[in-house]
Structure formats: C-alpha cells, structure tokens
DNA sequence: CTGAAAGCGCTTACAG
DNA sequence: CTGAAAGCGCTTACAG
C-alpha cells in the first residue's frame, strides 16, 4: 500500500485511534460525535474526553465519500473582468449566499471565469459540489454554453439575475425586479418634468440592464413622452462610460435626464456632464441603480434604486438547500422587490 | 448496506462501470485518465471513448480520501461587517488568490466571520483544506484566538497583511509595504508646503493603518515638521468618518492636509471639508490609500497609493502551493511594494 | 447499549 | 502492457 503523502509529518488520528484508546468500537465514537444511536452517558463522556485529548478531527473526505454528500455549493462567476469581484452587486450576492450557507453548515467553493472562456473543454469535469449557483454574463450563446456545462454536472443549479429559465429541468432563477425599478425611475423623472432622456447601457447587455431600460421606457411610453435614447457604452467601466457620455454631449443637445444602467455608470455620466459645464440636477438630472456604498460618495447624492443583492444570494442558498432536501425546486422563478430612493441628483417631484 | 442518498436519481457511473463497459480493469481506466502507467494507445483510445459515451465523472471525494490531498485552500475573512466582501482591498486579494488557485487546479473555499465570533467553539473542527489563508482584523486578543484555531487545523497558514509573525511554525505572512506608502504620502505633503496634518484612523486599528501612519509620521519627523494629529474614527465607514472629520473641523482650526487611512475615509473627509466650506486642495489637501476604482469617482481626483492587493492574493496562493510541495515555507515574511500616485486633491510639489 | 462487517470510489504498489 | 488486492476513514444496516 501507499504511504499517504499527507502534509502533516505524523499520521492523522482517525476514528479508529480514538476507538482503540477509549476501548470501544469505531461506530460508538461515530455515534457519539453525530448524536445518533443509543449510547450510555458514561461511555459517551469517556469518548468525548478521548476525542478532546487526542484532538481528533474527522476526515470530511471520508465522510463525504461514505455519504455521497459534499455539504458544498459551488459558485461560478462569469464576467469579463479578471478581477471578478470588483462589482459590488456581485460581491453582495456572494456574501449573502456565503452567509446563508455557513449558517447552514455548507461550504462555498468560489470560482471566476470569463465569458470568452466558453468552449474551453473539461472545465467542470469533477463533481465536488452538491449544487451550483452561477452569475452569468456575455452573449446569449456563451451563457447557454455555460448553462449546458453546468447541467453536465448533474446537480441542481440556481441562476442569479438570469432572464429566461433554461430548458434544463433541475434549475431555478433568483432575480430582482429590475423592470419595476426602472419603471419607478422613469415615473420619478417624468414627475420632475423631464421629457428627453438618455439611457446608458453597456455593449454586452445584461438581462438586468435590459429590464431596467424596459421599465423606464414603459413609464415614458405610458405618459406619451418621447422615446428614451439609448447610449451604448463599450462596457460599464468608469472611463468608457465617461467618454461615451462626453461624446454624446458633444454631438447633440443635452437631455433633461440621464439614466445610468447602474450607479457606476451614472457617476461617470455625472462627471462627464460636470466637466462639460452642465449643472446637476438643474440642467441634467441623473439616476443610478443599485445603491451600494459608492452611490453617496458623489456630490450631489445619487437618486438610485436599492437593489436586493444580499437577499438574492441568501435566497439562492435557501432554495438550493431546500431543493437538496426535498428533491425538487419548489419554485423555479423568484423575483425579489427593489426599493427606489430619491437623492439630490434629480429635481424634486412637482 | 446503505443506499447512498445521492441527489441524482440514477446511480452515478463509477470507474468500475467504465472498466466493465470497456472490458478492462479499473486501474487501466485510472491510468488513462491520469496519464500514468503504460497503456497501449489502442486500449487508451477505447477507454477514452467509453468515458465519453458514459459521460463518466470521477468522484473527487474518493480521490481525495485515497490520496489524502484535497486540492483545496480555505480562505477566512474576519471583519466586523457581515457584508464581508464590501471592502475592495479584501475582494481584490480574494480575486488574486482565487485566480492563482484556479490556474493551478486548486479550489477555494470562502468563509466570512466577525472578530466577535472568537471563542465560538468548534468553528474549525473539520479538515477540508490543504492549507488556509486568512485576513484577520479586530483586537490583538481576538486575532490571536483565530490564529490559534487555525493552527489547530494542522495545515499551513498564510496570513495576509498581518504585522507580526505568530509563534506557530507552519505559517507565513504576505503584506504590502504600507510604511513606505505612508512615508511617500508624508514626503509629498511636505513638498507641497503642508505643515499641520491630521491622520484619520479607525478605532480598531489594522496593522496596515498603523504602518501607514507610522510611515507618514517618520517623514514629518525627519523634516522637523509638527507631529501628525490622530483623528480617531469609530470605524472606517463613510458616515462615521464624515462625522468625525466634521466634529474635528468644528472644534479647532483646519489642518493643511488630511491623510485618510484608506480611500474611503479620504473621500468622506473630503466631503466633510467641502460641506464645511473648505476648498480642496487649496485650503485642505487630502490623500487616500489603495487606489481602487472609487478613488477617481471623486472630484478632485484623489492623491493616493496604489496597493498591491491582487499581487498579495496571488503571492499567498503561490507560497502556499509551494509550501505544500516542498514541505516548508521558503520565506516566512513577504512584503510587496506599493505605488504612490499624485492626483488633484493635493497641491503640486514646489 | 455495543460491535463486526461491508462498502462509498478511487489509486498505489505489486504480480503476472 | 494489464489486473487482483488492499486500503484511505468514515457510517449504515444488522446482529448480538
């Protein structure tokens, strides 16, 4: 037999060592540790004492193999930026999920990839999680590839902020009501007297961005106001958005309002307007989306929509664990509410 | 025997199934999959074909148990905020680590805790990682408790941004040169003519904050300038820092410059100054620390220090994996350089 | 209340 | 070049 290439120099103490030392069988130790089976209080105490004395730590690997359960959820984040946790919307979802899982004795395995990594074969060969949660982005084709690969793992899958439920049966979506958020933004701007309005959207559309835009557009359309004008930004980074806004300002007349696809884009646009000599909110009103810390680092404080990111992560964890216990997803599409917040970057409602 | 309570309805296909189907033994399959042993090309191809056809996925749990290696690194983040990924300095370190691990076929298990969770027993009972990386915060006593608990896992440990190497032998530190960064900030401010200067530091000091302050102080002391005045902020949040700065401005005369413990604190201070009617940088100069995205959302753009957060995470992963291979840490303390960046929130050097 | 046996799915020597 | 055996460290029935 092989010598285990364990990192520790001494062999680890196993359940058998404890059993031998305590003068009982291994399963008595197991029973005591897991609170299963009937064990006399005296024996149990003795075993516990030996466990402490030997500083016995159960091997999760063995337990997992035996029970064919991993108590582990995998989280995949697919974004273009190699610094895949730079967006607070994403990190907040991750935190929500991790906190929920930890509280329920599950571990989280974290992994980041780029949309352009799609078609890289054998990316998810091994099964090491009982379920997966994924935040996808990129083109439809790429997202579908990732969903197919994830399905190949044959574990339940929860998609975050995804628009359409895929064919795959063992899958659920948790998202927030971006449409309603966008609609409230639109209604608010209309109430301040705004008529002409730009929407800043990154080139590669997220479903969320599309929903926000659609919500705002529906408000404008209902009010008989002019159509929203879409300003495409190469991506959602500060620099790119700033330049796109400036270019748009130079090539035409400034709108009454600019709706940023998220806070970051709104802030870039705000800076572009200011640098162009326009006063916020008197000449141009600006709104963001998400309401993370940065939204108030700017002056004037941004009118924005408080997102449900933490709740999305928590809920994904809850649904996944329930699915693992019950055998099927109770609900396959879950939409969480958002909360519109008025700041100083828009005029008061008249 | 027990029926495995596998989530999938059908039993998973194992290496034995592949072997049977291919008419070979299990170890031939294993050899082909792991590129070990001598196998005729014909047999190998046949086996690969069967693997594909049956869509065989190796069980990591079995592999881990057999090899007593997990190919997994645990990452523990101890911060007061339950949203433990809200600080970009932390997320960037996490991304750096994750990216490095993924590229080297390791998984990352992520977990967040509060410093006040210390003394909660049995927090790290199980061993599920080959090594640990930790970002600690809180009082010395609490940090020591966490280090002790982590040591109990008997796996190598890398501490990020920690000041002092603990007793524990199998442990290394990766940090950045905050002292030098602080010193450069101090020298720059002196070169602009600043004399009186505040430093904003949160109540619970991080080692990094202390080092930054010490660096700046050394520059001032070398130049024979007045001592830096410490402004204690309850924590490093925007609101608290804003209020602390405002209170300090109200109760005395404004300084020539304010050194923020990080960008966020600097921005809060900047806003407090502006709201107090002070012009930046003409009346008060302001500097931050870290140079993450937010640093340029503000107007004027912040003078700050570009931190090595991503490199810290990567390096932690590299040192840990090497430690796992070699059997000991090659270097127990690693300090990465930082990069001073002049913005518009300070005056030009004279 | 307690224990001997079997087996989760792999891989490492060791024989052929 | 290929295979039968042993064992990683647990836990679940099943007997006593």
């Amino acid at each position: 037999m092989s010598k285990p290439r364990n990192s520790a120099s001494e062999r680890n103490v196993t359940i058998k060592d404890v059993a031998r030392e305590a003068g009982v069988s291994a399963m008595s130790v197991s029973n005591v540790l897991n609170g299963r089976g009937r064990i006399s209080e005296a024996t149990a105490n003795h075993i516990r004492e030996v466990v402490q004395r030997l500083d016995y730590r159960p091997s999760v690997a063995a337990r997992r193999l035996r029970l064919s359960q991993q108590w582990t959820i995998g989280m995949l984040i697919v974004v273009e930026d190699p610094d895949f946790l730079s967006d607070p919307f994403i990190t907040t979802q991750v935190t929500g999920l991790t906190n929920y899982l930890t509280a329920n004795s599950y571990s989280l395995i974290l992994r980041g990839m780029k949309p352009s990594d799609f078609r890289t074969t054998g990316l998810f060969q091994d099964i090491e999680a009982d379920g997966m949660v994924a935040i996808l982005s990129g083109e439809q084709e790429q997202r579908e590839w990732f969903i197919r690969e994830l399905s190949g793992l044959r574990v339940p899958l929860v998609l975050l902020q995804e628009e359409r439920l895929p064919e795959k049966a063992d899958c659920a979506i948790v998202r927030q009501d971006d449409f309603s958020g966008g609609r409230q933004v639109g209604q608010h701007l209309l109430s301040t007297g705004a008529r002409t309005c730009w929407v800043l959207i990154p080139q590669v559309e997220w479903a969320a961005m599309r929903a926000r835009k659609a919500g705002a557009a529906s408000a404008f359309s209902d009010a008989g106001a002019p159509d929203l004008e879409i300003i495409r930004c190469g991506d959602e980074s500060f620099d790119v958005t700033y330049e796109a806004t400036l270019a748009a300002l130079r090539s035409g007349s400034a709108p009454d309002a600019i709706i940023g696809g998220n806070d970051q884009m709104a802030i870039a646009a705000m800076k572009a307007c200011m640098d162009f000599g326009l006063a916020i909110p008197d000449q141009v009103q600006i709104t963001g989306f998400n309401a993370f810390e940065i939204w108030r680092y700017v002056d004037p404080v941004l009118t924005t929509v408080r997102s449900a990111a933490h709740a999305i992560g928590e809920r994904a964890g809850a649904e996944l664990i329930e699915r693992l216990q019950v055998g099927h997803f109770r609900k396959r599409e879950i939409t969480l509410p958002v909360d519109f917040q008025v700041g100083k970057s828009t005029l008061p409602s008249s």
Side-chain angles (χ1 to χ4, degrees), chain A:
Chain A
M1 248 303 298
S2 65
K3 182 172 80 235
R5 5 179 188 130
N6 196 327
S7 41
S9 49
E10 357 67 25
R11 200 179 57 80
N12 267 325
V13 11
T14 73
I15 199 168
K16 276 187 178 168
D17 299 324
V18 176
R20 192 181 317 111
E21 179 76 14
V24 297
S25 72
M27 50 251 60
S28 292
V29 179
S30 172
N31 282 336
V32 169
L33 258 28
N34 298 300
R36 250 187 293 273
R38 306 287 78 209
I39 299 273
S40 73
E41 208 36 52
T43 320
N45 280 333
H46 179 222
I47 290 175
R48 271 189 279 267
E49 186 267 321
V50 174
V51 163
Q52 278 242 307
R53 180 149 47 82
L54 299 191
D55 192 17
Y56 165 65
R57 314 259 172 166
S59 151
V60 240
R63 191 153 208 271
R64 285 175 175 169
L65 175 57
R66 183 57 181 78
L67 266 15
S68 58
Q69 221 197 315
Q70 315 305 128
W71 291 280
T72 293
I73 300 297
M75 163 120 216
L76 175 69
I77 297 173
V78 180
V79 286
E80 201 49 65
D81 190 348
D83 192 357
F84 63 88
L85 292 176
S86 64
D87 182 348
F89 190 76
I90 290 177
T91 59
T92 310
Q93 291 174 87
V94 173
T95 326
L97 176 62
T98 310
N99 288 344
Y100 188 90
L101 293 181
T102 301
N104 289 273
S105 308
Y106 271 75
S107 293
L108 179 101
I109 293 187
L110 183 67
R111 182 156 181 187
M113 287 182 60
K114 306 168 106 178
S116 48
D117 285 344
F118 88 122
R119 282 190 179 139
T120 313
T121 33
L123 229 25
F124 307 105
Q125 278 295 42
D126 301 345
I127 300 173
E128 56 171 339
D130 299 316
M132 292 290 301
V133 176
I135 297 177
L136 267 25
S137 68
E139 306 290 349
Q140 183 65 23
E141 185 198 3
Q142 298 170 335
R143 290 215 304 279
E144 276 168 8
W145 183 87
F146 280 105
I147 292 175
R148 253 196 323 278
E149 285 296 301
L150 289 167
S151 305
L153 259 22
R154 297 199 216 90
V155 297
L157 170 64
V158 175
L159 263 15
L160 265 30
Q161 283 289 80
E162 195 72 12
E163 202 168 17
R164 284 188 347 201
L165 207 53
E167 302 282 310
K168 171 176 161 59
D170 202 4
C171 175
I173 289 179
V174 180
R175 63 167 88 85
Q176 67 181 8
D177 198 345
D178 287 295
F179 182 91
S180 158
R183 192 168 161 84
Q184 287 177 74
V185 166
Q187 287 169 337
H188 170 72
L189 289 174
L190 287 164
S191 78
T192 67
R195 303 290 294 172
T196 59
C197 184
W198 293 354
V199 186
L200 304 180
I201 301 280
Q203 199 63 48
V204 175
E205 281 184 22
W206 299 61
M209 294 283 184
R210 197 155 41 225
R212 291 165 194 178
K213 188 201 72 184
S218 81
F220 270 61
S221 147
D222 287 0
D227 283 349
L228 302 175
E229 187 175 338
I230 310 295
I231 308 290
R232 291 264 164 219
C233 307
D235 60 40
E236 54 197 290
S237 73
F238 186 90
D239 288 340
V240 171
T241 309
Y242 176 90
E243 290 303 336
T245 309
L246 214 50
L249 288 171
R250 287 204 187 96
S251 68
S253 56
D256 298 334
I258 299 180
I259 299 176
N262 60 27
D263 292 337
Q264 185 171 317
M265 298 183 81
I267 294 172
M270 185 184 290
K271 200 147 185 185
C273 287
M274 286 167 149
D275 290 355
F276 197 71
L278 295 165
I280 314 293
D282 303 286
Q283 291 175 277
V284 180
Q285 303 190 65
I286 294 190
T287 65
F289 219 104
N290 282 346
F292 293 117
E293 271 293 279
I294 56 157
W295 110 93
R296 52 165 146 187
Y297 288 2
V298 286
D299 202 5
V301 168
L302 210 54
T303 291
T304 185
V305 176
R306 181 168 294 278
S307 83
H310 199 273
I312 291 176
E314 281 182 346
R315 190 63 180 271
E319 295 293 325
L320 199 42
I321 288 180
E322 198 196 352
R323 150 68 188 81
L324 257 13
Q325 289 163 349
V326 180
H328 62 96
F329 281 111
R330 191 184 298 268
K331 213 176 158 190
R332 299 201 49 205
E333 293 193 66
I334 291 157
T335 304
L336 269 19
V338 294
D339 183 24
F340 179 68
Q341 295 200 327
V342 180
K344 306 265 186 192
S345 68
T346 53
L347 297 167
S349 300
S350 59

